[in-house]
Amino acid sequence: MYVLVRDLLDRKVIEGAKLLAGEKGLDHPVLWVNVMEILDAPDSLQSGELLVTTGFGLADEARYRDLVMQLKNRGISGLVIQVGYYLSAVPAYIIKDAAYYNLPVIEIPAKDTFSHIMRTLLASIGFEGGSRSDVDTVFLKDRAKMLADTFAPNAWDRQTETTLLFLLSVSSANSALAGFTESLERLRTYFASCGDWTRLESTGEKALYMVCLKKDCCRQDVFLDLTDLLTQISRELHVNVLLGASTLWEPDRMERAFEQALQANRALQAIGVKKGVCHVDNIRFFEWFDAFHQKNNALSFAYDILKPVISHDHFHKSTYLKTLRAFLANDCKITETAEKLFIHRHTMKNRIDKISQLCALDFSDWFAKQQFTLALMVYDYFM
């Protein structure tokens, strides 16, 4: 049995909700909840959806004079407008048209966040599997569809992997997740440094980043930087961050890109990593890597191999581990790695000589390089 708009009001699901117009439409069933801050894409709405918005731009009657008619034609169940951000009150023309078309218009106060409203309404209509995590995912998926249209047209170059989607989830021994907000900001700052366009949406214990990379940035370099940054966040903020990633080729593939980022994030959770980033293209490798991790006493293996470098970094405040990671990722090429790390070639060579001395590592030995590469993977994701 469907939940009706009337039921949401009678149950006082959202405190302070007030019906302004459309009383004859209160028996419309609510099949889903959609959130839009900018009401420029009414054609994307589906029949039976309850639309929630802050009403950005609705004061411009000339621009939105046909909005209520369009919403009615789409078959939505009702319009919920949160005042206090962009509107002090719902515009009179919206109320007048809603009364004419029998479309319920409900005003709610600004005290609740969109994510709270979304979770509350979804739970009220009987969303199956409505745990906090699931509802957060649904909310971010809806926001992702809106965000795709905000990027510059030249972001969608089919020939290059310019736009990446990152779905973030966190865990912490501290249930309050005190470091969550700072983690988001550190990541936002990093993405701003390597992206021409960046967008962030967050709710609960999840977040979504969209990043249109600068032309001089490649995915591998970004993932190496993120690996180092997530290690810092874990050590300093005691928050473990997992990033599932995918490539967004064009706006109409947003839903698929989101599902792929979610798949990559869940792959990291399934193998029990503490922190890290995984692109959907690399899921099979991580599944294999989990088998290696489970069967080979990998933690002690990794620590024993990397201990000389880790100890040196700790006591001398050096960055040899980061240097080693970048050097191996760039096929042990001195010049290319130095350029990526923004250091002089001679400085890079001195560091590699020191690492080689500390670890008794011969970088010309293929097997030795693979051993250290695997040790770094275990360290970066499980330690």
Side-chain angles (χ1 to χ4, degrees):
M1 183 176 180
Y2 294 129
V3 173
L4 309 178
V5 177
R6 181 188 308 279
D7 297 328
L8 298 178
L9 288 169
D10 290 345
R11 298 173 190 170
K12 298 182 179 179
V13 170
I14 302 296
E15 186 178 351
K18 179 169 59 174
L19 179 68
L20 301 183
E23 184 175 359
K24 292 183 180 180
L26 288 178
D27 290 328
H28 292 165
V30 179
L31 307 181
W32 191 244
V33 181
N34 203 332
V35 174
M36 282 189 179
E37 189 167 8
I38 303 174
L39 298 171
D40 284 346
D43 290 345
S44 66
L45 296 167
Q46 303 297 316
S47 177
E49 290 185 339
L50 182 67
L51 176 60
V52 182
T53 181
T54 56
F56 178 81
L58 285 186
D60 186 352
E61 181 177 354
R63 182 178 180 181
Y64 289 104
R65 63 163 57 96
D66 296 327
L67 176 66
V68 174
M69 179 184 69
Q70 292 174 337
L71 297 179
K72 177 68 176 181
N73 290 339
R74 296 301 300 174
I76 74 165
S77 57
L79 175 61
V80 178
I81 301 177
Q82 188 178 40
V83 296
Y85 290 105
Y86 303 111
L87 298 171
S88 58
V90 177
Y93 78 94
I94 294 289
I95 297 174
K96 179 181 177 181
D97 288 352
Y100 178 81
Y101 288 107
N102 296 320
L103 181 71
V105 170
I106 300 170
E107 178 185 288
I108 59 175
K111 65 183 185 67
D112 292 323
T113 64
F114 264 11
S115 60
H116 172 78
I117 294 168
M118 184 83 166
R119 285 195 293 270
T120 302
L121 290 173
L122 284 173
S124 298
I125 66 173
F127 170 63
E128 294 183 0
S131 68
R132 173 170 184 162
S133 178
D134 289 337
V135 175
D136 289 343
T137 299
V138 171
F139 174 80
L140 290 175
K141 186 174 182 179
D142 281 344
R143 297 297 292 175
K145 295 175 185 177
M146 298 168 53
L147 285 176
D149 295 329
T150 68
F151 273 64
N154 61 6
W156 311 113
D157 181 356
R158 295 171 184 263
Q159 305 305 316
T160 58
E161 297 183 9
T162 56
T163 305
L164 297 174
L165 205 65
F166 294 92
L167 183 64
L168 174 150
S169 62
V170 298
S171 63
S172 171
N174 177 3
S175 59
L177 290 173
F180 178 59
T181 301
E182 186 172 347
S183 300
L184 293 185
E185 287 305 311
R186 287 195 187 186
L187 285 163
R188 186 212 293 265
T189 299
Y190 170 71
F191 285 134
S193 72
C194 64
D196 287 326
W197 285 73
T198 61
R199 294 290 185 274
L200 165 64
E201 290 288 338
S202 65
T203 177
E205 298 172 8
K206 282 187 167 63
L208 178 71
Y209 293 91
M210 288 177 62
V211 185
C212 180
L213 297 181
K214 295 177 180 177
K215 290 184 178 180
D216 59 348
C217 290
C218 70
R219 191 172 88 186
Q220 175 176 284
D221 292 340
V222 170
F223 278 38
L224 285 174
D225 289 343
L226 286 172
T227 298
D228 187 56
L229 179 57
L230 296 183
T231 299
Q232 293 178 31
I233 289 173
S234 177
R235 181 175 62 248
E236 297 170 12
L237 303 180
H238 308 292
V239 173
N240 297 325
V241 178
L242 306 183
L243 287 172
S246 65
T247 302
L248 180 60
W249 295 102
E250 53 189 15
D252 61 7
R253 297 189 187 183
M254 169 56 79
E255 187 169 355
R256 175 171 173 77
F258 183 91
E259 291 294 340
Q260 289 178 329
L262 178 61
Q263 182 185 3
N265 183 279
R266 286 176 173 169
L268 290 176
Q269 295 182 51
I271 66 176
V273 306
K274 292 186 176 180
K275 58 190 181 302
V277 56
C278 171
H279 192 279
V280 66
D281 292 346
N282 305 126
I283 286 178
R284 292 190 67 182
F285 169 80
F286 277 92
E287 291 172 346
W288 170 87
F289 183 64
D290 181 44
F292 165 80
H293 161 251
Q294 295 291 343
K295 294 180 181 179
N296 293 276
N297 298 318
L299 296 180
S300 58
F301 159 83
Y303 184 75
D304 288 345
I305 288 177
L306 298 175
K307 183 179 179 180
V309 178
I310 295 172
S311 298
H312 190 280
D313 281 352
H314 176 73
F315 289 109
H316 300 278
K317 308 302 180 184
S318 57
T319 57
Y320 283 0
L321 196 67
K322 179 179 180 179
T323 301
L324 176 61
R325 185 186 296 115
F327 188 58
L328 291 170
N330 286 281
D331 298 323
C332 297
K333 295 177 180 177
I334 294 282
T335 301
E336 290 185 12
T337 309
E339 290 175 353
K340 296 291 177 63
L341 295 177
F342 302 102
I343 59 177
H344 194 277
R345 185 180 185 280
H346 294 307
T347 302
M348 181 68 203
K349 186 178 184 306
N350 290 336
R351 288 187 186 181
I352 293 303
D353 288 344
K354 182 65 175 180
I355 292 171
S356 180
Q357 177 186 346
L358 286 170
C359 301
L361 171 59
D362 179 2
F363 284 104
S364 66
D365 184 332
W366 186 88
F367 288 100
K369 287 187 291 187
Q370 305 317 307
Q371 186 181 39
F372 273 77
T373 299
L374 287 173
L376 276 169
M377 286 288 296
V378 173
Y379 176 84
D380 289 337
Y381 283 85
F382 291 97
M383 296 178 68

